[in-house]
């Protein structure tokens, strides 16, 4: 058995999903999962299935696989949290998302394995997705002028600050604007 690097494995899954080849990705994961290093195998497989299910919009399944990812460190921990944000937002779990935002702010301050750049990118993402969620669920004000102002503030924050997952955030803004 030839070992496959977990980052290469994930890159292949991500590329396949980006191309919309979801069936192929599922087959790839099954075919090569035994070639992953045993120490990180379960984590990598669960994360691969999380990504596959997220991209194919099977959010409940994605969350189920994500819940099996444990013992992560550094950027892996951040990647797991990012998917938690994605899935809580997509599944309309507003309260869980806001609780995750709160715990993530504390986590990122105290985890020394995360670089200052990684900290900043993640913190800005957390702020932006929190504001989007607040807008989505908390904005009962029927004043359309105020709605437009609030969404513009979020858009400006995203465009003016470095953060991870800008494409996804902008996609969610477009969805909100089209409602």
């Amino acid at each position: 058995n030839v070992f496959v690097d977990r980052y290469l494995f994930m890159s292949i899954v991500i590329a396949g999903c980006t191309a919309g080849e979801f069936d192929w990705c599922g087959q790839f994961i099954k075919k090569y999962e035994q070639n992953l290093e045993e120490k990180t195998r379960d984590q990598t497989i669960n994360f691969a299935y999380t990504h596959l299910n997220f991209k194919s919009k099977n959010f409940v399944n994605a969350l189920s696989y994500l819940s099996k990812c444990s013992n992560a460190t550094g950027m892996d921990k951040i990647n797991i949290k990012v998917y938690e944000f994605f899935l809580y937002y997509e599944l309309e779990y507003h309260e869980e998302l806001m609780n995750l935002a709160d715990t993530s702010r504390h986590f990122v301050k105290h985890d020394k394995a995360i670089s200052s750049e990684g900290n900043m990118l993640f913190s800005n993402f957390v702020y932006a997705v929190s504001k989007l969620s607040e807008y989505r669920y908390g904005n009962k004000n029927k004043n359309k002028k105020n709605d437009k102002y609030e969404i513009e503030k979020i858009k400006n924050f995203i465009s003016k600050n470095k953060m991870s997952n800008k494409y996804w955030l902008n996609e969610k803004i477009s969805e909100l604007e089209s409602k």
Side-chain angles (χ1 to χ4, degrees):
N1 253 1
V2 176
F3 281 109
V4 176
D5 177 78
R6 69 187 180 121
Y7 297 108
L8 174 62
F9 185 89
M10 281 306 304
S11 292
I12 292 168
V13 171
I14 290 167
C17 287
T18 300
E21 296 293 335
F22 304 122
D23 290 339
W24 180 88
C25 284
Q27 292 167 4
F28 172 83
I29 295 167
K30 278 186 180 63
K31 183 174 181 179
Y32 293 103
E33 64 187 14
Q34 291 306 311
N35 295 67
L36 291 162
E37 188 179 359
E38 190 174 345
K39 181 172 77 173
T40 57
R41 183 179 298 144
D42 288 343
Q43 178 90 346
T44 305
I45 292 165
N46 285 318
F47 200 67
Y49 279 121
T50 297
H51 184 77
L52 171 60
N53 280 282
F54 173 73
K55 287 300 189 177
S56 58
K57 300 193 182 306
N58 296 316
F59 302 128
V60 172
N61 287 348
L63 191 57
S64 175
Y65 280 108
L66 188 65
S67 71
K68 297 174 188 172
C69 294
S70 57
N71 303 322
T73 57
M75 288 308 292
D76 285 345
K77 200 180 273 188
I78 284 193
N79 287 332
I80 289 167
K81 288 195 176 295
V82 165
Y83 276 86
E84 280 183 284
F85 278 107
F86 287 165
L87 292 166
Y88 288 171
Y89 186 90
E90 297 293 357
L91 291 166
E92 302 182 4
Y93 294 173
H94 175 67
E95 195 171 311
E96 291 86 343
L97 188 147
M98 299 314 287
N99 288 334
L100 177 62
D102 188 49
T103 59
S104 293
R105 285 185 203 98
H106 296 291
F107 146 77
V108 81
K109 274 185 200 170
H110 302 292
D111 194 319
K112 303 300 177 213
I114 299 166
S115 69
S116 60
E117 175 82 0
N119 183 326
M120 184 257 308
L121 293 172
F122 182 65
S123 294
N124 285 344
F125 169 75
V126 169
Y127 179 83
V129 76
S130 297
K131 288 296 176 191
L132 264 181
S133 190
E134 286 172 3
Y135 175 85
R136 185 180 187 193
Y137 297 105
N139 199 357
K140 302 293 183 220
N141 187 342
K142 298 296 179 209
N143 180 341
K144 290 295 176 195
K145 192 181 239 183
N146 190 44
D147 284 358
K148 192 163 179 58
Y149 174 72
E150 289 302 317
I151 205 80
E152 285 303 318
K153 279 184 9 186
I154 299 167
K155 284 165 71 170
N156 284 335
F157 179 81
I158 292 168
S159 70
K160 290 180 180 173
N161 291 280
K162 288 184 175 182
M163 69 188 67
S164 57
N165 305 292
K166 278 190 176 192
Y167 181 83
W168 181 83
L169 289 163
N170 286 320
E171 191 178 85
K172 299 301 118 186
I173 286 173
S174 293
E175 288 173 8
L176 289 171
E177 289 179 320
S178 69
K179 287 185 176 180

